[in-house]
């Protein structure tokens, strides 16, 4: 069958990952529908404006769709109970609304882009795999895990093929979130030189993540399965820091702030300890299950420069 006879629906298509996924889909000749908050002039396809907060979605978006790629979610920092509720409304309730509409319109395939945070606590002595499931910490991870479980359940009940991709920290052109903040901090000289602690953090280039998302949509054996996506190369925080120095055109300092000073600062408050742990701790994951499916990451962090980050 020609790709022109297929139609994919993407939510979150105007985001950092979504834009690259949409581009890859269109380059393959597959028809594209977008469900998003407001029209995106950068993408030429059928667009259906929806209210994510209220779960109002145009049913026309699902007509003729073979596969749904659900990327839309909420991942901002917490500041109020209202935002806590928003995690539930968007990460769980909106996801289920999309899934139920897909079922009603006889969509065959549903790919949910989740997060490694849904897998629970990190184990310091090794990289976690899909079997290392524990209770997630934080409302973001909890709501992503809740959405995963609900999707797997209704997929089985209604014979819809459901696959889940848990992404590690994503880098690449137009990066957002914590990596963007780190880039800005290094560029402005706010971030002190990090020590080499030998910690391990998993990452993945946005284009490799897109390949992983598309890959799991192609095989019957991925039904009901969860796949962790990384580039297969754990990085220390110092390595990430040095790469960012290169990206922003800063010389790499030959010295670093000793780890014990970060540990002392972490004693000030739980919030500061959380930030220090996030900066220097381990967050290592294994993508062996995805690699067994045929996934071969093409990009590495060390290759990044000003035009490719």
């Amino acid at each position: 069958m020609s790709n022109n006879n297929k139609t994919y629906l993407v939510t979150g298509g105007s985001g950092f990952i979504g834009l690259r996924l949409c581009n890859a889909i269109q380059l393959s000749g597959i028809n594209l529908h977008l469900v998003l908050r407001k029209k995106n002039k950068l993408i030429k396809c059928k667009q259906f404006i929806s209210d994510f907060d209220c779960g109002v979605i145009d049913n026309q978006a699902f007509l003729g769709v073979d596969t749904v790629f659900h990327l839309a979610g909420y991942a901002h920092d917490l500041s109020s109970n209202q935002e806590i509720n928003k995690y539930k409304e968007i990460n769980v309730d909106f996801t289920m609304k999309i899934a139920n509409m897909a079922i009603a319109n006889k969509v065959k395939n549903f790919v949910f882009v989740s997060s490694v945070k849904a897998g629970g606590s990190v184990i310091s002595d090794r990289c976690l795999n899909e079997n290392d499931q524990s209770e997630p910490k934080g409302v973001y991870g909890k709501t992503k895990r809740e959405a995963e479980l609900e999707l797997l359940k209704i997929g089985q009940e209604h014979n819809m093929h459901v696959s889940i991709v848990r992404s590690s920290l994503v880098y690449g052109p137009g990066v957002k979130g914590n990596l963007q903040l780190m880039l800005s901090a290094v560029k402005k000289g706010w971030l002190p030189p990090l020590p080499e602690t030998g910690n391990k953090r998993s990452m993945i280039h946005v284009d490799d993540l897109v390949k992983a998302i598309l890959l799991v949509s192609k095989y019957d054996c991925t039904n009901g399965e969860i796949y962790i996506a990384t580039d297969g190369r754990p990085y220390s925080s110092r390595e990430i820091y040095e790469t960012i120095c290169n990206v922003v055109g800063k010389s790499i300092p030959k010295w670093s702030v000793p780890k014990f000073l970060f540990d002392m600062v972490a004693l000030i408050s739980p919030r500061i300890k959380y930030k220090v742990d996030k900066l220097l701790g381990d967050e290592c994951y294994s993508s062996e299950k995805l690699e067994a499916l045929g996934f071969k990451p093409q990009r590495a962090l060390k290759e990044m420069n000003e035009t490719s980050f």
Side-chain angles (χ1 to χ4, degrees), residues 38-98:
K38 58 183 179 180
K39 189 173 179 63
N40 190 320
K41 296 179 180 178
L42 297 176
I43 310 173
K44 305 300 182 184
C45 68
K46 290 185 178 180
Q47 300 187 19
F48 302 85
I49 310 307
S50 304
D51 188 332
F52 288 15
D53 297 322
C54 298
V56 177
I57 309 163
D58 189 343
N59 189 67
Q60 295 291 316
F62 295 85
L63 298 183
V65 168
D66 300 275
T67 301
V68 169
F69 295 93
H70 182 45
L71 281 70
Y74 191 72
H76 293 79
D77 289 334
L78 289 173
S79 61
S80 66
N81 288 333
Q82 186 175 2
E83 286 208 19
I84 293 174
N85 292 334
K86 188 166 285 190
Y87 276 92
K88 178 73 164 57
E89 291 169 359
I90 296 179
N91 290 351
V92 181
D93 298 343
F94 182 70
T95 296
M96 298 315 299
K97 177 77 172 180
I98 291 285

Side-chain angles (χ1 to χ4, degrees), residues 124-138:
S124 59
D125 62 343
R126 63 182 176 83
C127 296
L128 273 68
N129 61 37
E130 294 82 358
N131 295 322
D132 296 313
Q133 182 65 51
S134 61
E135 179 64 23
K137 291 184 177 179

Side-chain angles (χ1 to χ4, degrees), residues 206-218:
V206 61
D207 290 338
D208 281 330
L209 177 57
V210 165
K211 290 176 183 176
I213 293 168
L214 292 171
L215 180 67
V216 301
S217 72
K218 295 178 180 179

